[in-house]
Amino acid sequence: MAEDTARRLQARPIPVPKAAPPASTQTTLLVIALVVATLYLGSDILVPIALAVLLTFVLAPIVSRLERLRLGRIPSVLAVVVLVFAGIAGFGMVVGGQIADLANNLPSYQKNVHDKLDSLRSRAASAGSGGVVQQATEAFRDLKQGLEQVTGETAPAAQSNALPAPGAAREPVPVRIEQDGSDALTIISDVLGPAMAPVATAGMVLVFTIFMLLQREDLRDRLIRLAGSGDLSRTTEAMNDAGERVSRYLLMQCVVNVTYGLPIGVGLWLIGVPNPLLWGLLSTVLRFIPFLGPAIAAAFPILLSFAVDGGWTLPLLCIALFVAVELFSNNVVEPWLYGSATGLSSLAIIVAAVFWTTLWGPVGLLLATPLTVCLVVLGRHVPQLHFLEVMLGDRPVLPDEAKLYQRLLARDPIEAMEIAEEKMSKGGLVEAGHGLLIPTLSLAEQDRQRNRLNPEGRQAVAEGMVALLDEMMESSPPAAEDTPLVLCIGARNDLDEAAAALLGHMLRPRGLRADVIPCEKVSVRSIAALAPTGVSAVVLSYLNPSALSHARRLVRRLRLHFGPNVPILLCLWSAHPEAEAPEHAISQTTADRVATSLTGAVTQLEELGVLAAVEAEKAPQA
């Protein structure tokens, strides 16, 4: 019967996430090395494919909408692709025209730049020999002279001008015969080669995008076949999740960038910075590059304002404009539009940007967030890649009770208090006790039963929990001596005592005197020191619901000491408040009542008449 009771109370243990089954370390490292090497060596092919996939995510909804209008697959794809690349070409023409206009006006700003530099130089000179600028200039000048002496920079010139010694052998002078004219192919390759590389990449992206849009269903079926057609539900869910997250991220990114570039362009026009259209467009586009994009977009107009204005008013206004718009975009627009659109943590975005930039350069920085989103989705749906979601995702990887348990083990009261206060702010002490404190102590008890918690760790958890309760509870006047006294006894160890202290803190605001008694004081040798009179009820606290044999012996001992008129409440704490107290536990332990939760314990004391006695004493005073 005791085993049935224990099984009934412990049917659902506390859900703490467990790590995936460990694979071979060497195999994992080998696979990661092969993947990274493939990404690096195959960048010439993989970068256009990745860009084409990104464009496919953006354009596929538009193509589908045109197909629903009976336009046809091929005309819809061609129309969308032509419009997109025409827009890109138009954007390039506008930017090119603005840059040409800026280049024509730059010579007129040269005088302002020289005046500002002369002003800085004169201020540095007026600061005296101890000025920071002057000292730095002299230090760099000395360093340059020292390097020239070490490397012998003037030696070749001296040797070339010196006459050879008499009788010394003359070194042969190499003679090179050059043909008249130049190789046309060499000139073309030297001049047009670097310029043709971006054009070739753009052409590959265009071709890949067209074919991906035309055959997206066939590509989807092939991916499902590669991922495993035996689990269509999980594979479909993963693909839908990835597509939805990437599409939503790109859409929100477009909206955020437009709401960033438009105020920049208008603001620069109002304060008088030349070519505001150019800087607004560049701010919109460059913001697709995380972290570095906004800084690059702000640098050019700030430098231009420095050259345009003879004073310092325009540069300061330009800096203030970028700072204000950036703060508004980061703290208002992005949290409102993004929410949890990407599912990535902030640290993961930074790490992804560094990783993909190292592999693929500036294009990798542009693709870092979408590619990492796909990796997180894979980690969410593929058990073998679950570590990717844990490392890169934004979901909490530990429940609150596990975090509090770990902080108590680490003896970190500050962070433990923050976790408890956040839970308490949502529902008070009762909610915090049900949803956080009792589950935390149950985790510690589970580890103790599995011999995974040493006595020092158990003591740290128990003492930390008691200190936490003292901090959480507001100071209240002590109860009068004539009020009912409830003994809250930690039945077997200090963890049970901490749970008893939690119940005591809940009973004191109700007008009861609740004394917390450790298990040592109710042992066979020490129980005689307890006063046998003046006790209204005894509460036994057990975090191990299967300890019914121990509870039976302890209840018998307490009956002999306090007499049959003192009710005994047996609390078999469960991590789940909805667990029901088995009635046959009363017959097995001869306790008067059994409870499995904090509210259940308070209810049982009310039914036993303990709290009713307090209300009766308060009534005449009222």
Side-chain angles (χ1 to χ4, degrees), residues 244-324:
E244 182 180 348
R245 284 182 178 274
V246 173
S247 299
R248 186 166 63 246
Y249 163 74
L250 293 174
L251 177 61
M252 293 300 102
Q253 185 71 41
C254 291
V255 175
V256 169
N257 291 1
V258 170
T259 58
Y260 176 83
L262 184 61
I264 290 294
V266 174
L268 293 177
W269 175 69
L270 292 176
I271 64 178
V273 177
N275 304 101
L277 178 60
L278 173 64
W279 311 125
L281 292 176
L282 288 182
S283 299
T284 302
V285 174
L286 289 177
R287 214 171 189 280
F288 279 101
I289 302 175
F291 308 113
L292 294 180
I296 298 174
F300 291 109
I302 291 175
L303 291 176
L304 182 61
S305 65
F306 176 85
V308 170
D309 191 12
W312 297 95
T313 303
L314 188 60
L316 293 178
L317 288 176
C318 188
I319 293 173
L321 173 65
F322 275 96
V323 171

Side-chain angles (χ1 to χ4, degrees), residues 553-594:
R553 294 192 300 270
L554 186 55
V555 168
R556 186 183 305 114
R557 189 184 311 153
L558 294 172
R559 290 274 188 220
L560 293 176
H561 181 75
F562 291 105
N565 295 327
V566 177
I568 297 177
L569 173 63
L570 177 62
C571 290
L572 302 174
W573 303 117
S574 173
H576 303 280
E578 65 271 15
E580 298 179 357
E583 296 297 332
H584 53 272
I586 297 176
S587 61
Q588 293 181 22
T589 60
T590 67
D592 293 284
R593 297 294 174 90
V594 177

Side-chain angles (χ1 to χ4, degrees), residues 150-162:
V150 172
T151 57
E153 184 176 294
T154 59
Q159 292 176 4
S160 63
N161 295 328

Side-chain angles (χ1 to χ4, degrees), residues 134-214:
Q134 185 175 359
Q135 291 180 1
T137 305
E138 293 177 355
F140 280 111
R141 186 184 298 113
D142 295 339
L143 179 61
K144 180 181 179 182
Q145 293 176 356
L147 290 175
E148 290 176 352
Q149 293 175 2
V150 172
T151 57
E153 184 176 294
T154 59
Q159 292 176 4
S160 63
N161 295 328
L163 293 174
R170 295 177 177 268
E171 296 183 358
V173 178
V175 178
R176 185 175 59 183
I177 300 175
E178 296 184 356
Q179 298 178 355
D180 294 337
S182 303
D183 190 354
L185 294 178
T186 303
I187 295 178
I188 293 175
S189 62
D190 293 340
V191 175
L192 299 181
M196 290 300 294
V199 177
T201 302
M204 295 175 64
V205 172
L206 174 61
V207 173
F208 283 139
T209 303
I210 292 175
F211 279 94
M212 286 182 182
L213 289 173
L214 289 174

